[in-house]
Amino acid sequence: MSPGLHHFVSLDLPAMLAGTLAALVCALLGNFLLLRRESLMGDAIAHAVLPGLVAGFLVSGSRATLPMFVGAAVAAVLAVVLIEVVRRVARLEAGAAMGVVFSAMFALGVVLIERAAVRGVDLDPDCVLNGQLERVFWFPPAEWGAMLSLSTIAELPRELVTLAVVYALAVAAVGVFYKELRLVCFDPALASSLGLPADAVRIALLAGVAAAVVASFEVVGSILVIAMLVCPPAAARMLTDRLGPQILVSQVVALATGVTGYTLAAHGPRWIGVGESINAAGMMAVVGGAAMAGAILLAPKHGVLARARRRRRVVLDTAAEDLLADLYRAGEPGHPIASGPPPTASPAVLSAALARREITLDASGAPRLTDRGRDRAERLVRAHRLWESYLVSRAGLRPDHVHDRAMELEHITDEELARRVASEAPARTDPHGKPIPPSTGEAERPPFSGHSG
Amino acid sequence: MEPLAQQPSVVELAWNVATLRAGYNTTVVVISAALLGLAAGVVGAVAMLRQRAMMADVLAHCTLPGIAIAFMVATALGAQGRSLPVLLAGATASAVLGVLAVQAIVARTRLRDDAAMAAVLSVFFGLGIVLLSVVQRMRTGTQGGLSHFIYGQAAAMQAHDAVLMGSVAVMATLSVAAFLKEWRALCFDPRFAQSLGLPVARLDLGLMTLVVVVTVIGLQAVGLILVVAMLIIPPAAARLWTDRFGRMVVASGMIGAAAGYGGVCISATLPRAPAGAVIVLTATAIFLVSLLVAPRNGVLARLASSRARFQGGAA
């Protein structure tokens, strides 16, 4: 194995894998927190495990995993229970109850750490926040052949093994209870009416989150845990409406975030020539945030830009339709503005109508209806005047109050609806005496033969 | 040469701190911490009733990148990077950015407020940690005081920093007091408040500003992870004692002041008892006592009333 590769396999790979596994397991369970609107519970749990960790550390007197793991798990479950108790007894909203419990527990943890330091036992409070990814390393065997032997696997970093086991368990649990979880997330009322123990599912979910938090955060710290519980699922939620794809996308985002974040932190500073590596857990959180921001902006259906484009399109379409109708009216005999300057519109509206070949521009730059545009305009004016007559004769509105209403309705009235309005309120002219253009199919027949009189 | 003074006992030391006789610096810090507790209590009470309690947590975490950037910019410009007003200005700016980000996500996407808050909080904080690790590696200066903002260190505060904290706290308290009626209307029924012609949007903005201000001035003493506790725990305790808005605000302020005062006294007395955490635990102790003995809503009162009902039913 070359020295460079050896360096990568013993230092970069374990840390990157640990960070990525933590991201994957947090993102997986975070999907359900997100849908249940309990993302802040991840925040609360990630803070509240501190006293448990320290207690485990003090009891065992070492950084052995098991006592700290047990302590943290107990603290996490205690936090969930206490939040519920405080919420009910003190009649607080969920957020406030969370704030009371997790900040009190975190403060207790900080004091415990400092008291331990008085006794000469050192536990760095910063690694609770930042994790200690750089402490995850591995001495791989010199030969590739020995890579898969049992003794090699037994020497894998303990954190890595813990994370892998927790991730596998989480995947299995989500697979087995997928239907129940989906029901509890999307329709809790239906879930309980089907006899599903919604509370039990919720508690199990939070216990799973607690396990994920505890397994992850001695490696990556609580910041990354909170970020990974929410950012990948939130990005996925922007991209899809269905739970299955959302989970898959969140896993892809988590994977990419872990690898990219670590690489940027470990090697990015050297690439831009500013020296050593920077905090990897923090960098992964930033990359996760960037992924979420990207999804928020660019998601094809729910994204901010797509929505803005759609809204702009509706405005533009409406304005273009208004232009067509104005041009049509201006061409009607006896129209007051027939003699004045022809109607026009903003360049954006003109080009939208031009692109659909509904108008052409004459030598002076004034818009003229094409045949296609005239058809469309006729349908719009027909819908407008039919609605005006309907609103006066059927809905009882005064004739001078119906124009604005009809201006809105004409844009959302298709041929079929126009026909129904016509049969409800048959008329040849609108309340202001303007002729109602016949529908294309009726052009030859005498309109409304049976009713008009 | 002075003769070596006898080492005072813990009790004596605590008494001296508590009666403000432990030297100018300590006295200023104790008073300022009490004022900070007062301000956080009254502002937190309004924020809790307006259901904005956890926003304090979000924006406290959001201050970290601002602190780091302010330090870097000030150092690069040759100024004293560690001056408190500079760092607090940076903290305020990034806290405001965080609040705006949460509001934008809630208003413009399908994501809910809990997700927006958790995401903004963790990403801003992650960025802050990255920037701190950059500062640490800068040759120009050590990050020294910067990481103290995470856990706070009231005991090491300088008198002039404490005076800044105390005076801003007084202003925040007065702003709540000045608009008490408006806040009450806003908290209980925003639509009714609107119909009374109150500027609801501006009041909410004012409330958020006060939360930012209290959080930012609390950073140095309590630390950015725990400062939220000063805005949440006192009103949660006060809520157990009364249902009336005005009384709750006053009670919350008093509990906050007591926690600030008591916490600093304890932490100044014991070795390595970090002030922020001790202040929070003092507030928590008050909360727990309230939870037990508060009339009507306390656990004991409820037990007694359910027993009375049970016996009444049996008779």
Side-chain angles (χ1 to χ4, degrees), chain A residues 35 80 84 98 103 113 133 172 190 202 310 381 444 453:
Chain A
L35 292 173
V80 173
E84 205 54 32
M98 248 179 240
S103 55
I113 287 181
L133 264 180
L190 177 63
R202 173 168 179 264
R310 273 203 302 279
V381 172
E444 289 84 29

Side-chain angles (χ1 to χ4, degrees), chain A residues 50 58 61 63 77 113 115 143 255 296 355 363 380 404 408 418:
Chain A
L50 184 63
L58 290 179
R63 283 176 191 269
V77 174
I113 287 181
R115 300 310 296 169
E143 297 300 320
L255 182 71
I296 284 177
L380 287 161
D404 291 344
E408 288 164 16

Side-chain angles (χ1 to χ4, degrees), chain B residues 39-90:
Chain B
V42 297
V43 172
V46 181
M48 173 175 285
L49 291 176
R50 188 77 183 107
Q51 312 211 328
R52 300 281 196 279
M54 283 299 274
M55 274 312 278
D57 190 34
V58 176
L59 57 91
H61 282 79
C62 286
T63 56
L64 192 57
I67 291 173
I69 290 175
F71 178 83
M72 287 194 246
V73 171
T75 310
L77 293 178
Q80 174 55 261
R82 229 173 297 164
S83 108
L84 189 66
V86 170
L87 297 181
L88 294 192

Side-chain angles (χ1 to χ4, degrees), chain A residues 78-445:
Chain A
L78 194 65
V80 173
V81 174
L82 282 179
I83 288 170
E84 205 54 32
V85 169
V86 166
R87 194 174 67 79
R88 293 197 183 157
V89 176
R91 300 170 305 152
L92 295 175
E93 46 142 346
M98 248 179 240
V100 169
V101 171
F102 90 73
S103 55
M105 290 180 76
F106 193 86
L108 184 63
V110 172
V111 168
L112 282 179
I113 287 181
E114 295 293 334
R115 300 310 296 169
V118 173
R119 288 198 265 149
V121 195
D122 209 18
L123 192 68
D124 181 9
D126 279 350
C127 66
V128 171
L129 298 172
N130 311 346
Q132 29 188 341
L133 264 180
E134 66 285 352
R135 290 174 70 103
V136 184
F137 50 79
W138 179 45
F139 298 110
E143 297 300 320
W144 282 107
M147 206 61 124
L148 288 175
S149 78
L150 264 179
S151 63
T152 312
I153 291 173
E155 277 171 22
L156 281 173
R158 178 184 51 71
E159 298 91 339
L160 210 52
V161 178
T162 313
L163 276 170
V165 170
V166 170
Y167 183 48
L169 287 177
V171 171
V174 168
V176 171
F177 296 109
Y178 185 74
K179 270 189 190 155
E180 286 79 2
L181 283 168
R182 186 174 56 187
L183 209 51
V184 169
C185 285
F186 284 109
D187 200 343
L190 177 63
S192 44
S193 75
L194 289 176
L196 201 67
D199 276 344
V201 176
R202 173 168 179 264
I203 300 287
L205 173 62
L206 290 177
V209 171
V213 167
V214 174
S216 310
F217 102 144
E218 66 165 323
V219 187
V220 295
S222 53
I223 328 153
L224 184 58
V225 168
I226 303 167
M228 287 303 116
L229 279 169
V230 62
C231 290
R237 174 94 178 116
M238 294 303 297
L239 294 169
T240 168
D241 292 331
R242 308 193 40 189
L243 181 59
Q246 181 187 320
I247 291 176
L248 285 182
V249 173
S250 78
Q251 295 295 282
V252 173
V253 173
L255 182 71
T257 299
V259 174
T260 318
Y262 181 82
T263 311
L264 281 180
H267 303 292
R270 238 176 299 142
W271 292 339
I272 57 171
V274 291
E276 300 162 71
S277 56
I278 50 180
N279 185 283
M283 198 65 201
M284 287 187 197
V286 172
V287 172
M292 180 177 155
I296 284 177
L297 282 181
L298 305 174
K301 187 165 154 207
H302 300 293
V304 169
L305 294 183
R307 271 164 62 163
R309 206 179 315 130
R310 273 203 302 279
R311 210 171 307 127
R312 199 177 123 77
R313 212 193 159 100
V314 168
V315 171
L316 215 58
D317 280 355
T318 308
E321 288 187 347
D322 287 344
L323 171 68
L324 296 183
D326 283 349
L327 288 167
Y328 180 88
R329 290 193 186 96
E332 279 184 316
H335 193 277
I337 55 174
S339 50
T344 186
S346 73
V349 175
L350 286 179
S351 63
L354 275 173
R356 278 200 291 266
R357 282 179 288 136
E358 285 163 350
I359 58 168
T360 53
L361 296 184
D362 66 15
S364 66
R368 298 266 176 247
L369 287 173
T370 61
D371 285 349
R372 191 188 162 103
R374 182 169 311 281
D375 277 354
R376 179 107 183 262
E378 205 167 73
R379 282 201 297 275
L380 287 161
V381 172
R382 172 176 150 78
H384 180 95
R385 290 177 182 167
L386 280 172
W387 274 116
E388 283 191 337
S389 109
Y390 175 93
L391 290 172
V392 169
S393 67
R394 292 276 152 169
L397 267 61
R398 297 224 311 271
D400 54 351
H401 277 56
V402 293
H403 178 77
D404 291 344
R405 217 41 77 73
M407 280 300 279
E408 288 164 16
L409 290 166
E410 66 183 49
H411 299 291
I412 51 170
T413 303
D414 62 3
E415 201 77 357
E416 167 66 15
L417 181 59
R419 211 172 47 72
R420 281 168 185 253
V421 175
S423 72
E424 279 294 309
R428 280 205 189 86
T429 58
D430 73 4
H432 314 293
K434 299 274 180 53
I436 296 178
S439 88
T440 355
E442 288 171 316
E444 289 84 29
R445 278 182 276 149

